[in-house]
Amino acid sequence: MLEVARIPVLNDNYVWLMHDGASGETVVVDPSVAEPVLAAAAERGWPISQIWNTHWHPDHTGGNAEIKAATGCMITGPGAEAAKIPTLDRLVGEGDYVAIGAHAAKVMAVPAHTAGHIAYHLADDEIIFVGDTLFAMGCGRLFEGTAAQMFSNMARFAALPDDTAVYCAHEYTQSNGRFALVAEPDNDAIRQRMSDVDAARAAGKATVPTSIGLERATNVFMRAGDAETLASLRAAKDAF
């Protein structure tokens, strides 16, 4: 059984700590900074053995070097972005596998937010780490890719089992949901979810992880029927 802990850092980032009690291994996913991650791991008695990066942006890799210096951990990340992540030890891409103890994660290439963005899918554990590709009720901006690529990503995610827990890297749900209410004003599932989200945020609570089933019902980008519709939605959200 894997344990996943959420570490809030910076303004709205989440770093994830995943621990396997059987092997004693701990993976850090997308460490923006080092100090709170090292502190959280030490507090739990979880020795950090690996870092998994989803893409090169500094708010996902900024803690790599310091955590590696403190722990000697191995850093895995997208081979397509190796030039932008000099701390990487292992380069991976579509179809490769990484593991924490006996738990295997398949690497999915999900370009669009960045050209080499990847996700880590632990199918047997119903867990996926999606970085900045999929958000609760949203998707990442198209900084280095196309709407067609993002549409393909959304379709791949939507095909996963409903109960798959989705660990994204930012607390964007409230703002995404406000846009979703405008984009799909007749969607009762979005209205109900936003009621829950607003209550959670008012109480200072996080709204992620989410689930594939919940996103399929309430994420307008996952629900887009084609790439052109997604492109239109993304442009509208960028200006929202």
Side-chain angles (χ1 to χ4, degrees):
M1 187 76 179
L2 295 173
E3 296 179 74
V4 182
R6 177 180 49 244
I7 307 169
V9 299
L10 305 180
N11 291 327
D12 52 33
N13 278 73
Y14 291 129
V15 179
W16 302 102
L17 276 182
M18 179 170 53
H19 180 71
D20 172 37
S23 67
E25 279 205 79
T26 304
V27 172
V28 183
V29 182
D30 284 346
S32 316
V33 292
E35 186 176 342
V37 176
L38 292 168
E43 180 182 346
R44 291 170 171 80
W46 293 357
I48 294 171
S49 50
Q50 298 184 64
I51 293 172
W52 295 353
N53 291 146
T54 61
H55 64 294
W56 69 266
H57 285 165
D59 64 325
H60 294 255
T61 61
N64 280 9
E66 189 175 339
I67 294 172
K68 183 175 182 177
T71 66
C73 66
M74 172 178 282
I75 305 179
T76 298
E81 297 183 355
K84 295 182 176 180
I85 317 176
T87 49
L88 292 181
D89 298 304
R90 183 183 176 197
L91 313 181
V92 295
E94 174 70 35
D96 288 334
Y97 282 88
V98 295
I100 171 173
H103 302 264
K106 187 175 184 178
V107 176
M108 299 170 63
V110 286
H113 182 67
T114 65
H117 202 302
I118 59 175
Y120 297 92
H121 180 216
L122 294 96
D124 291 345
D125 299 282
E126 297 188 310
I127 289 171
I128 187 166
F129 294 97
V130 294
D132 284 358
T133 298
L134 177 64
F135 292 119
M137 307 181 81
C139 75
R141 288 177 181 260
L142 307 178
F143 286 132
E144 298 178 3
T146 67
Q149 287 175 318
M150 188 62 83
F151 179 74
S152 175
N153 297 338
M154 294 297 108
R156 292 187 74 185
F157 291 144
L160 299 177
D162 279 357
D163 289 340
T164 304
V166 177
Y167 293 89
C168 57
H170 291 274
E171 182 58 66
Y172 289 164
T173 315
Q174 201 164 35
S175 123
N176 288 338
R178 288 169 182 157
F179 173 74
L181 287 169
V182 173
E184 286 194 35
D186 298 325
N187 187 322
D188 290 338
I190 292 175
R191 277 202 299 273
Q192 179 56 57
R193 185 175 185 186
M194 272 307 287
S195 175
D196 296 339
V197 166
D198 287 340
R201 295 307 292 154
K205 297 178 181 177
T207 63
V208 293
T210 177
S211 71
I212 291 296
L214 194 52
E215 294 313 305
R216 197 181 290 114
T218 61
N219 189 317
V220 298
F221 299 96
M222 187 175 282
R223 294 166 59 78
D226 50 50
E228 291 73 22
T229 301
L230 188 148
S232 177
L233 286 166
R234 187 62 256 180
K237 176 64 171 66
D238 290 347
F240 185 71

